[in-house]
Amino acid sequence: MSLVIAENLVKDYRTGDVVVHAIRGVDFTIDPASFVCFVGPSGSGKSTLLNMIGCLDPPTTGRLSVSGTDVTTLGHHAAAAFRGEHIGFVFQDFNLVPVLTAYENVEYPLIMVQKWSPQSRRERVQSLLTAAGIADQADKRPDQLSGGQKQRVAVARALVTNPKLVLADEPTANLDRSTALRIIELMRQLRDEFGTTFVFSTHDPKIMAEAEVTFVLEDGHLRRQTREEVESHE
Ligand code: ADP
Ligand code: MG
């Protein structure tokens, strides 16, 4: 069964009398344990789409199912609970808590969930820091880390609650090209190791070539990229 199913998904933003048609009726599915990219220029609707999949903002119309749950009708509190259990997020500007160490940033989502004992929490945080290649930086605060290291901490934090789905909105936008490619490679490794589905967005065609499945957004319309098109960018 697909992890994400979108049918005729529409998102309009209304500010006063002005309506922006951000997403104009798109259909797609995302398989479990897949590695998927949404690519498109600035303003094409990438963040809008990821925010809907992440239950941060509901669609205007259409059907959207995540992990077998119809998320279009979830209220504010139900959506927050659903996110906490099923979805991890990685952001362009890392969004780490500046006063916490790398270790404490990764531990933070577990403290929100009652079921973890201090001992199991320690083991879980340690294993994610190791998996993300950042265990030797555990005691450093974000301002003592490079951009690539910060994003590794953010990836570890996104995975620490073992969500089925991780959404990363332009996770490489603030990184240089080679660091960006290493972060994408890390996400793919973690997909292989844990079976987590990774969905990321980018405006960089070279980064998109790293995904198994690529969807192209143009003015709120979506199409699946063919293998030939991807290879023409390599
Ligand atoms: P991308 O992430 O690809 O740059 P976005 O999803 O942010 O694109 O934006 C898609 C379109 O929707 C743009 O025209 C943008 O200006 C508009 N938009 C995004 N968020 C809002 C909002 N909260 N209110 C009004 N318009 C918005
Ligand atoms: Mg965006």
Side-chain angles (χ1 to χ4, degrees):
M1 200 185 77
S2 297
L3 184 65
V4 181
I5 304 168
E7 285 172 4
N8 200 14
L9 207 58
V10 170
K11 181 69 181 183
D12 298 329
Y13 290 111
R14 201 172 291 272
T15 30
D17 290 341
V18 182
V19 179
V20 176
H21 302 290
I23 298 291
R24 298 168 185 261
V26 304
D27 300 85
F28 60 89
T29 59
I30 295 175
D31 290 336
S34 58
F35 197 65
V36 176
C37 177
F38 288 95
V39 71
S42 181
S44 58
K46 301 181 296 297
S47 295
T48 299
L49 205 51
L50 261 58
N51 290 347
M52 288 194 284
I53 299 170
C55 307
L56 291 165
D57 203 13
T60 305
T61 58
R63 175 171 174 248
L64 182 61
S65 152
V66 179
S67 278
T69 298
D70 176 356
V71 298
T72 53
T73 54
L74 294 181
H76 193 71
H77 290 291
F82 186 83
R83 283 197 301 275
E85 191 171 352
H86 295 277
I87 304 173
F89 293 91
V90 175
F91 302 94
Q92 165 173 340
D93 45 10
F94 320 122
N95 280 24
L96 299 178
V97 181
V99 296
L100 300 182
T101 63
Y103 181 98
E104 291 163 343
N105 267 282
V106 176
E107 184 184 35
Y108 193 76
L110 297 183
I111 294 176
M112 303 285 102
V113 186
Q114 303 295 327
K115 67 178 181 183
W116 294 82
S117 69
Q119 172 66 20
S120 62
R121 213 161 60 207
R122 257 193 304 279
E123 286 167 10
R124 180 76 188 154
V125 173
Q126 207 57 52
S127 79
L128 261 301
L129 288 168
T130 302
I134 200 81
D136 55 346
Q137 310 292 323
D139 295 330
K140 296 204 174 146
R141 286 195 317 272
D143 64 2
Q144 299 170 297
L145 299 173
S146 70
Q149 289 171 329
K150 279 190 267 215
Q151 203 57 307
R152 284 173 186 271
V153 174
V155 169
R157 179 182 58 182
L159 282 167
V160 76
T161 57
N162 199 24
K164 285 203 179 61
L165 176 63
V166 170
L167 301 172
D169 193 357
E170 303 210 40
T172 61
N174 289 327
L175 303 175
D176 62 70
R177 172 58 60 76
S178 68
T179 306
L181 288 171
R182 281 202 294 276
I183 289 294
I184 298 296
E185 177 56 28
L186 168 68
M187 297 199 309
R188 193 169 38 203
Q189 264 170 26
L190 295 173
R191 185 284 305 267
D192 292 345
E193 193 173 339
F194 299 116
T196 316
T197 295
F198 277 85
V199 176
F200 67 100
S201 75
T202 183
H203 57 258
D204 185 340
K206 289 239 167 44
I207 302 277
M208 116 207 156
E210 303 298 311
E212 286 163 356
V213 176
T214 303
F215 293 108
V216 183
L217 267 167
E218 272 156 354
D219 287 334
H221 295 286
L222 188 75
R223 66 186 171 81
R224 194 174 162 144
Q225 187 101 7
T226 65
R227 201 61 225 168
E228 291 72 35
E229 285 178 279
V230 173
E231 278 160 9
S232 74
H233 288 289
E234 283 172 357

